Amino acid sequence: MSRVAAIDCGTNSIRLLIADAAANGAPGPLADVVREMRVVRLGQGVDATGELAPEALERTFAATREYATLIKEHGAERIRFAATSATRDARNRQVFVDGIRDLLGVEPEVISGDEEAALSFAGASSVLPATGEDAILVVDLGGGSTEFVLGDSSGVIAARSVDIGCVRLTERHLRSDPPNAAEIAAAEADVDAALDLAALTVPLGRATAVVGVAGSITTITAHALGLSEYQPGRIHGASLDLETISDAATNLLEMTRDERAALPYMHPGRVDVIGAGALVWRRILTRLASVSNGNIRTAVSSEHDILDGIALSIRAGE
């Protein structure tokens, strides 16, 4: 066995997975040792300023210090740190890169949208049943970007990353509490334009199933299931009809911040951006229902995503 440490640093959160894997790229599932998440909002203001804010960098560095301690305690042999949308967009990303290198002793990778998409698919598909010739669409709804990855048992068919996410759209449009009709319409227009871009690369109509990953989608699933707390075991693999998901998303979007904060499964760092995440997921599923001619009637949530894909990529590279 080989013990690896994967870190996914996104626009809203930074997450750590320490896992045991079969060595030398041998197949088989990862065995979790540690899974951690900190909401650091690295992408605070990036859409407007084009730079990572000093306070956002410090929050991220503080979380990374904690992760460095855990990695040392658990004896991980190899580390991969992947940063995504907010860091790709920032003019001052070298400050971030230098800080992470000093804390972890490894070079952080600012990965492209295409690689982010491929890693998301690898992580989600690693725990899905074999699909044969069917094409699955994995949607990774992040803070600054959303990845659409169509693939089957042989791998990725097509992928596209677009600049819509729960932090980006909240900062850009959803300023009222709750958002008003004009703000929602403006945000939906952005999502529709991004979907048009994604469809130029990814044949959305070919998908026979859709899997949603990342915190916005799993939180919407928790809301739809009416959980009394956040329960990954209940959320992972949950297949819900599109109407149920849409109703849950609409309900979250129309809530006040205080109402969302009172939900027992709501992470405090997600309270102010989940409305935008719900809007994006609802709009995506509406488009998929249309282009699939009714073939897609449900969506599955997965707790396994790009973080697992990063860990698997370490194993594959051994």
Side-chain angles (χ1 to χ4, degrees):
M1 300 293 289
S2 174
R3 181 159 290 183
V4 300
I7 298 176
D8 164 39
C9 186
T11 300
N12 197 43
S13 64
I14 181 169
R15 300 179 301 148
L16 167 70
L17 170 60
I18 300 173
D20 289 331
N24 301 316
L30 298 167
D32 287 14
V33 177
V34 171
R35 274 188 192 262
E36 295 284 339
M37 180 185 76
R38 304 286 185 272
V39 174
V40 295
R41 195 64 56 79
L42 178 61
Q44 172 193 329
V46 169
D47 189 60
T49 68
E51 293 193 346
L52 299 167
E55 60 270 30
L57 283 165
E58 185 47 47
R59 290 193 298 267
T60 306
F61 292 156
T64 303
R65 288 187 192 97
E66 294 182 48
Y67 288 174
T69 299
L70 287 169
I71 290 168
K72 183 176 181 181
E73 287 178 354
H74 290 279
E77 300 159 20
R78 299 188 66 188
I79 306 169
R80 186 179 184 191
F81 186 112
T84 55
S85 177
T87 316
R88 283 197 299 266
D89 294 346
R91 289 189 297 269
N92 62 337
R93 69 182 186 181
Q94 195 59 47
V95 177
F96 168 83
V97 169
D98 293 343
I100 296 299
R101 186 195 307 112
D102 290 345
L103 290 167
L104 280 180
V106 298
E107 190 75 12
E109 301 172 52
V110 183
I111 61 175
S112 68
D114 286 345
E115 184 169 8
E116 183 177 358
L119 289 170
S120 295
F121 185 81
S125 62
S126 69
V127 293
L128 294 174
T131 59
E133 299 301 315
D134 292 341
I136 292 177
L137 180 70
V138 172
V139 180
D140 184 346
L141 200 172
S145 66
T146 295
E147 283 65 52
F148 296 85
V149 197
L150 187 71
D152 57 21
S153 57
S154 63
V156 174
I157 297 168
R160 183 70 179 262
S161 177
V162 293
D163 286 338
I164 52 169
C166 60
V167 174
R168 191 185 296 271
L169 289 189
T170 298
E171 292 185 348
R172 188 181 290 177
H173 297 298
L174 305 187
R175 300 185 177 93
S176 301
D177 183 24
N180 61 45
E183 292 169 344
I184 291 172
E188 288 182 334
D190 277 6
V191 178
D192 288 344
L195 282 166
D196 290 341
L197 279 177
L200 294 175
T201 305
V202 181
L204 301 176
R206 281 186 57 186
T208 57
V210 58
V211 177
V213 304
S216 285
I217 291 172
T218 58
T219 301
I220 295 163
T221 302
H223 189 60
L225 292 171
L227 300 182
S228 58
E229 61 181 349
Y230 192 91
Q231 298 174 274
R234 291 280 306 279
I235 294 166
H236 180 64
S239 179
L240 300 173
D241 64 82
L242 300 190
E243 184 177 359
T244 298
I245 298 170
S246 180
D247 288 346
T250 298
N251 187 240
L252 285 168
L253 179 59
E254 293 177 347
M255 283 182 174
T256 65
R257 190 186 191 284
D258 287 346
E259 288 170 336
R260 295 193 300 270
L263 296 171
Y265 38 79
M266 184 67 63
H267 190 287
R270 206 170 297 285
V271 171
D272 57 342
V273 297
I274 189 62
L279 180 151
V280 174
W281 190 220
R282 182 181 71 177
R283 204 68 174 174
I284 289 171
L285 294 180
T286 297
R287 176 71 68 95
L288 291 176
S290 174
V291 301
S292 71
N293 295 317
N295 290 325
I296 291 181
R297 299 177 183 176
T298 61
V300 176
S301 297
S302 175
E303 287 280 342
H304 296 266
D305 52 26
I306 186 174
L307 186 61
D308 300 77
I310 295 167
L312 289 165
S313 74
I314 302 172
R315 180 180 71 178
E318 291 179 341

